[in-house]
DNA sequence: ATCAAATCCGACTAAAATACTCGGGATAAA
DNA sequence: TTTATCCCGAGTATTTTAGTCGGATTTGAT
């Protein structure tokens, strides 16, 4: 029941970008250094975040990454879902999962996982990158 | 961010024991059949639950497993913690984790994980095996 | 006493996921 | 033209997951 380094590193990197928001592109190298994360590995995560539209990149010297929206308008849930996939304790109650389990009626555990899914979502969907920044400043 | 089969199978098996509560020992084989779980694998999980004091076993013919407490007094959280370990999205905010991270003050993400940990616990610690039974009967 | 139904236990293993590393190509500012 | 940067795909070591396997032990029933 843990989030992997993908989600953890990703949220931390997005936090750095939020701190730097409005000051131009922040290079991967700096993010990696500040957060103590492998540069090459973080690169993969940033690629995913870029494809998902959460950040944009500027190539070439003096390049780097920039949040694609204001920190107020990006939630921790947005970031985690890109890097970790759907936020659910079990696949059979994922909102991305079209087909409901046919044994849902006889299932003693379904409601547990639904509640858990909803309560996790409630947390991460209501914390923005701006909230993270405000918390330490 | 998923629970593994240990947690899922374990909760389901405990649900079967709750349904059977008061009617003597229920053999592993029957639990495994009803829930479609590998018998040998479930055996390992029941061993852990027994060591944790959640179930007791009766050996020999006509033996099986019995809940060690009333279904009202066993929560889903009890079961999950035995089989999955501490319920936390990241180790550094686990309540089992004595030493707090020295960078906690400067950490933008700590509060997120704490909230998540608490909201997950709130769900599973407030659903008993009896609730599971009542839900399908 | 014997048999059969059970739990108990430790060792083993295949497959998947995780957490990276590596090398080279493309782009653009100075 | 050099250098800083992003971009991309492939490879890999380690850990976790999800089991399997074989046999020992216990005990109720015949």
């Amino acid at each position: 029941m843990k989030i992997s380094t993908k989600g953890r590193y990703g949220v931390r990197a997005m936090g750095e970008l939020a701190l730097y928001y409005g000051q131009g592109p922040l290079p991967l190298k700096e993010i990696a250094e500040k957060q103590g994360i492998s540069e090459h590995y973080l690169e993969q995560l940033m690629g995913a975040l870029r494809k998902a539209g959460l950040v944009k990149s500027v190539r070439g010297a003096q390049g780097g990454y920039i949040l694609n929206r204001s920190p107020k308008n990006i939630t921790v849930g947005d970031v985690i879902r890109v890097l970790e996939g759907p936020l659910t304790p079990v696949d059979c109650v994922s909102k991305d999962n079209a087909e409901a389990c046919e044994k849902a009626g006889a299932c003693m555990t379904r409601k547990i996982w639904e509640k858990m899914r909803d309560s996790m979502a409630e947390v991460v969907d209501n914390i923005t990158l701006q909230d993270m920044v405000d918390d330490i400043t």
Side-chain angles (χ1 to χ4, degrees), chain A residues 113-132:
Chain A
W113 312 135
E114 285 174 346
K115 278 191 184 178
M116 209 158 168
R117 175 199 64 196
D118 292 343
S119 96
M120 293 190 295
E122 224 261 316
V123 172
V124 296
D125 291 338
N126 286 293
I127 302 177
T128 67
L129 299 185
Q130 188 62 53
D131 293 331
M132 286 171 55

Side-chain angles (χ1 to χ4, degrees), chain A residues 30-98:
Chain A
E30 275 193 52
I31 304 175
E33 267 169 19
K34 282 187 188 161
Q35 290 290 335
I37 298 172
S38 148
E39 211 176 317
H40 265 300
Y41 187 44
L42 184 56
E43 199 172 27
Q44 295 177 11
L45 309 185
M46 295 311 294
L49 293 168
R50 182 177 53 80
K51 279 172 193 157
L54 295 183
V55 301
K56 61 187 166 194
S57 61
V58 179
R59 299 183 71 168
Q62 268 61 49
Y65 292 92
I66 306 177
L67 292 185
N68 213 2
R69 305 199 295 266
S70 152
K72 283 197 225 10
N73 294 318
I74 300 177
T75 68
V76 171
D78 293 334
V79 179
I80 291 180
R81 287 195 185 84
V82 167
L83 297 170
E84 301 263 337
L87 193 60
T88 179
V90 301
D91 282 328
C92 67
V93 300
S94 169
K95 293 211 165 160
D96 294 21
N97 207 341

Side-chain angles (χ1 to χ4, degrees), chain A residues 12-13 15-17 19-20 23 26-37 42:
Chain A
R12 282 158 56 188
E16 290 293 340
L17 287 175
L19 277 171
Y20 202 73
Q23 303 175 64
L26 184 61
L28 183 65
K29 194 180 175 186
E30 275 193 52
I31 304 175
E33 267 169 19
K34 282 187 188 161
Q35 290 290 335
I37 298 172
L42 184 56

